[in-house]
Amino acid sequence: MAVVEESEEEFKPQKKKPASEDDNRRKKITPGSLMKALIRPGAGEKTPTDGDQVIYQCTIRTLDGVVVESTRAEFGGSGIPKRQVLGKSKMILGLLEGIPTMLNGEVAMFKMKPELHYGEGDCPVPVADSFPKDDELHFEIELIDFSKVKVISEDLGVIKKVKEEGQGWEQPREPYEVKAWISGKSADGKIIFSHTQGEPFFFTFGKSEIPKGLEMGIGTMARGEKAVIYVTKEYLSECSLIPSIEGIAEIHFDVDLVHFVQVRDVLGDGRLIKRRLRDGRGEFPMDCPLHDSLLHVHYKGMLLNEEKTVFYDTRVDNNGQPLEFRSGEGLVPEGFEMCTRLMLPGEIALVTCPPDYAYDKFPRPDKVPQGAHIQWEIELLDYEKQKDWTGFNFREIMDDVEKIKGTGNRLFKEGKYELAKAKYEHVLREFNHVNPQNDEEGKEFSDTRNLLHLNVAACLQKMGEFKKSIEACNKVLDTNPVHVKALYRRGMAYMGAGDFEEARADFNKMMTIDKSSESTAKAALLKLKKEEQEIHRKARQQFKGLFDKKPGEIAEAGGRDLGEKEPDQSHDRDALDGEKEHLLEATAPPPARTSLWSRLWPSGRRLFTSLGLDRCTIL
């Protein structure tokens, strides 16, 4: 019985696709309204279908043989055949139904009643008022060619016909460097230009060095692909390839995409550029190095001056041995790591890097001056992925966790808060697959997870992400509402966000839970009180005299008293619950994101720092 039910389920009718506009138009066709007479048979067995581009000559006559309109030059036309895409182009109903019955090279005569050509109600194709649209007419059609095409622009101004498939998935885009054989001819077959000898035509994608429509078409091609790209005048622009487009209605570009170099604008502002000199192994980005991978690279570092002075070469200065470093640990300049993370094993790339992503924020080699622009030639030999904990016992996992946490702590102390946070979060993600086997392991696991959440909160606080820091603390407090360290960390985050009442509540709760934390909590409350007083004082100073002026006078707000002193620059070094680590000084640049309080009163953030309220403890 079950089998019968499955069979019935299998043969349920599929939902029909909604009828298209052309399908609804075809319903108007009645017997005898469209007649076809074969004049010359075509070749092959295939006929055009929706999505095919059809190229045909068309001559329209009255029933007594008078030519009304034609594409042929001998009948007063331009000689240029029509080019349309079935299912996409606007066509009269008789041809929409008739052309799909033709073979390649066939010539046929279609006799149409008015409702099948321009006399159709709401006909999508306009015609001159003098056209005899209410008469029965003969349409002589010669189907020159039809083929599958890719419609690149919705208005059919750019269409591509593939002659030979290319290799790989990658397609050129801005600012890739491209080499291609290109020739162009008008719709009537006249050669406009040809670049098919000597060296392939070279251009940089996105620099308007070729017509817009041609660039759009090449942007859909793979390496080694050959195609014809049909471009109408709306997508033709003057350039070095075609200096003048006057009088040209459309161009058929014959393109052989020889090669292109992957060029990546890594930062998006043109300062950090990666050019791939040799392809690597595998697929991008699946086979690129992950976070926490051990990379093996050879590189040559050069100053971006006229001499291209080499300041380091691993093959010369490192006894021929490659450089090894683990990604995500800040062991190489930021620009170097960002680009190697975009490479495949075996790839060679040339990286141009600005000073702030090279050695201005990283220990500089002796031969590299301050503010130097750098060029690295990097070869990614291979890389090893982060250890998989599958098959590890609990102790082996926790030992590995301590190493990763130690790296995170080092990065935090170096002011690399984003990298440090990534280390802690990596462990927290992997913890989802760890299952302690007894109470002792369960306690160690829980304690370590809580400390990692609080370290994430510390990083977020340093980065000015106070709301997210509070959320990280809440992950600890949701499972242990009396976790003193989490209350302290959250209180500091509330203070950073300007939520003084919430901060005061957390510090007071600390003292009720653990008497040994009383001195720390009181110190925090004292700083909180000073902060509130300072904000009130600053507010009074900022608006002093604003409303004391007579009508018509302008008062200046925010003036500073001559006798005003700078805030106290002393720093407390409070430790929490006997932690060995001290509260660290802030060394990061001003955070990009600030709280509402900081935006309303910008100097409050500096005051907060001077009072020592932005310090965090790494656990």
Side-chain angles (χ1 to χ4, degrees):
M1 189 67 179
V3 174
V4 174
E5 290 175 356
E6 287 177 5
S7 298
E8 291 174 352
E9 182 72 22
E10 182 179 350
F11 291 104
K12 277 186 177 180
Q14 299 293 320
K15 289 184 179 180
K16 291 183 178 180
K17 293 182 179 180
S20 68
E21 184 179 340
D22 287 342
D23 291 335
N24 292 328
R25 291 176 65 202
R26 286 188 176 98
K27 294 177 183 178
K28 301 177 184 178
I29 301 175
T30 58
S33 61
L34 177 64
M35 307 290 288
K36 176 184 175 182
L38 183 63
I39 299 175
R40 186 184 73 194
E45 298 179 353
K46 291 184 178 181
T47 57
T49 59
D50 274 4
D52 285 353
Q53 175 176 261
V54 292
I55 300 176
Y56 62 94
Q57 295 280 10
C58 176
T59 300
I60 306 172
R61 296 183 176 91
T62 62
L63 296 188
D64 55 4
V66 177
V67 174
V68 177
E69 186 178 279
S70 180
T71 58
R72 298 183 181 277
E74 59 266 33
F75 295 122
S78 65
I80 298 174
K82 288 191 176 184
R83 184 173 57 81
Q84 294 176 311
V85 179
L86 295 178
K88 295 285 186 180
S89 298
K90 295 178 180 180
M91 300 176 67
I92 60 172
L93 183 53
L95 295 185
L96 183 67
E97 184 71 7
I99 287 180
T101 69
M102 300 180 70
L103 297 172
N104 208 13
E106 179 181 323
V107 180
M109 181 75 76
F110 293 94
K111 182 181 179 182
M112 302 183 197
K113 290 189 178 298
E115 61 270 22
L116 269 293
H117 55 76
Y118 300 98
E120 176 192 3
D122 298 324
C123 178
V125 186
V127 69
D129 292 338
S130 59
F131 191 93
K133 62 182 180 180
D134 296 327
D135 296 345
E136 194 170 346
L137 298 172
H138 283 157
F139 286 73
E140 182 184 307
I141 304 297
E142 179 185 2
L143 184 57
I144 297 171
D145 186 37
F146 69 90
S147 59
K148 291 293 180 187
V149 292
K150 179 180 178 63
V151 175
I152 296 172
S153 66
E154 286 300 319
D155 60 359
L156 307 180
V158 184
I159 293 173
K160 183 185 77 170
K161 171 187 172 182
V162 177
K163 294 166 57 180
E164 188 175 315
E165 296 286 348
Q167 299 177 347
W169 59 271
E170 195 171 21
Q171 298 168 336
R173 60 182 183 272
E174 187 177 353
Y176 281 29
E177 296 171 351
V178 182
K179 289 183 179 180
W181 300 113
I182 306 175
S183 62
K185 60 183 180 181
S186 61
D188 58 359
K190 294 179 181 178
I191 299 295
I192 296 176
F193 77 95
S194 179
H195 195 111
T196 56
Q197 294 182 347
E199 289 292 322
F201 185 78
F202 174 87
F203 69 95
T204 301
F205 208 90
K207 297 289 188 181
S208 301
E209 296 173 2
I210 60 175
K212 177 184 176 182
L214 176 58
E215 187 169 78
M216 290 170 63
I218 291 177
T220 68
M221 297 178 68
R223 187 182 283 106
E225 181 179 332
K226 297 180 181 180
V228 178
I229 300 172
Y230 302 87
V231 181
T232 60
K233 60 182 179 182
E234 292 81 9
Y235 291 88
L236 293 174
S237 51
E238 293 183 357
C239 56
S240 59
L241 190 64
I242 309 176
S244 175
I245 58 173
E246 187 176 350
I248 300 177
E250 70 176 43
I251 298 180
H252 302 172
F253 293 98
D254 206 310
V255 181
D256 179 358
L257 185 55
V258 178
H259 184 68
F260 55 82
V261 173
Q262 184 200 70
V263 181
R264 291 189 180 275
D265 184 353
V266 181
L267 299 175
D269 58 8
R271 297 191 305 134
L272 180 58
I273 300 295
K274 171 185 172 288
R275 296 179 72 252
R276 186 172 60 195
L277 302 182
R278 188 180 75 190
D279 292 344
R281 304 182 299 273
E283 295 292 328
F284 181 92
M286 292 78 73
D287 295 315
C288 292
L290 303 171
H291 196 77
D292 288 321
S293 295
L294 182 63
L295 285 77
H296 308 274
V297 303
H298 270 305
Y299 80 94
K300 179 166 65 174
M302 298 161 280
L303 299 180
L304 206 58
N305 54 20
E306 291 183 4
E307 297 79 17
K308 291 290 182 72
T309 305
V310 176
F311 60 84
Y312 194 84
D313 188 340
T314 52
R315 289 184 169 87
V316 176
D317 302 308
N318 199 37
N319 297 319
Q321 297 300 308
L323 169 70
E324 291 187 0
F325 70 95
R326 191 169 292 280
S327 58
E329 296 189 358
L331 299 175
V332 295
E334 188 174 0
F336 189 101
E337 177 163 335
M338 291 173 72
C339 291
T340 52
R341 291 282 302 278
L342 295 172
M343 295 176 68
L344 294 168
E347 180 180 333
I348 297 178
L350 191 66
V351 174
T352 303
C353 185
D356 52 331
Y357 281 82
Y359 294 106
D360 277 10
K361 297 179 181 178
F362 195 83
R364 283 186 295 114
D366 293 338
K367 298 178 182 178
V368 177
Q370 180 76 21
H373 289 258
I374 300 299
Q375 195 168 76
W376 292 296
E377 185 178 297
I378 305 171
E379 178 182 3
L380 176 60
L381 302 174
D382 210 340
Y383 68 90
E384 301 169 23
K385 296 180 180 179
Q386 171 70 19
K387 289 181 183 178
D388 185 353
W389 289 347
T390 303
F392 280 28
N393 61 41
F394 183 78
R395 180 45 46 206
E396 289 172 329
I397 291 173
M398 298 310 292
D399 288 344
D400 199 33
V401 168
E402 282 302 310
K403 292 178 183 177
I404 299 173
K405 186 158 71 75
T407 301
N409 293 355
R410 172 181 63 79
L411 292 168
F412 184 92
K413 292 174 183 177
E414 292 174 358
K416 299 171 182 175
Y417 306 120
E418 189 69 51
L419 293 178
K421 181 170 73 73
K423 292 293 180 185
Y424 304 136
E425 289 177 334
H426 167 74
V427 178
L428 286 168
R429 284 193 300 272
E430 295 301 318
F431 261 15
N432 293 327
H433 310 293
V434 176
N435 299 303
Q437 299 300 307
N438 53 52
D439 291 344
E440 183 179 350
E441 290 183 356
K443 185 178 186 307
E444 182 179 357
F445 176 82
S446 178
D447 289 346
T448 303
R449 182 173 57 188
N450 286 341
L451 295 182
L452 288 165
H453 279 306
L454 294 180
N455 284 359
V456 169
C459 294
L460 290 166
Q461 188 173 327
K462 285 290 191 181
M463 295 161 61
E465 300 276 1
F466 299 114
K467 183 178 179 181
K468 291 182 180 179
S469 180
I470 292 166
E471 291 172 357
C473 295
N474 286 339
K475 291 178 181 178
V476 178
L477 292 166
D478 286 345
T479 57
N480 185 1
V482 293
H483 198 291
V484 176
K485 295 176 183 178
L487 286 169
Y488 178 77
R489 186 65 45 75
R490 188 174 70 173
M492 298 300 289
Y494 275 132
M495 194 186 300
D499 297 331
F500 298 126
E501 291 305 317
E502 298 285 356
R504 184 176 288 106
D506 278 349
F507 296 144
N508 284 328
K509 190 174 181 179
M510 285 172 57
M511 293 187 286
T512 63
I513 293 171
D514 186 355
K515 292 296 181 183
S516 65
S517 68
E518 188 171 330
S519 61
T520 301
K522 284 184 176 179
L525 287 167
L526 179 60
K527 293 175 182 179
L528 179 62
K529 183 178 180 180
K530 290 180 178 178
E531 182 68 19
E532 288 181 300
Q533 290 174 343
E534 186 64 19
I535 285 179
H536 292 317
R537 188 188 69 78
K538 286 285 186 181
R540 288 195 300 271
Q541 180 64 31
Q542 186 171 4
F543 296 105
K544 182 179 179 181
L546 184 62
F547 304 106
D548 297 340
K549 300 294 181 181
K550 296 177 182 179
E553 291 184 347
I554 298 176
E556 292 185 2
R560 180 177 173 183
D561 289 342
L562 294 176
E564 181 181 350
K565 295 182 179 180
E566 291 293 331
D568 182 16
Q569 296 297 319
S570 61
H571 298 281
D572 292 331
R573 294 276 187 177
D574 295 327
L576 182 60
D577 282 352
E579 290 176 324
K580 293 181 180 180
E581 294 90 343
H582 290 297
L583 300 177
L584 301 174
E585 299 287 350
T587 57
R593 298 179 61 183
T594 59
S595 65
L596 177 61
W597 166 70
S598 298
R599 292 196 297 272
L600 291 174
W601 183 50
S603 60
R605 174 66 180 167
R606 295 192 297 273
L607 176 64
F608 181 66
T609 301
S610 70
L611 292 173
L613 298 179
D614 62 341
R615 299 183 184 82
C616 304
T617 306
I618 283 295
L619 308 171

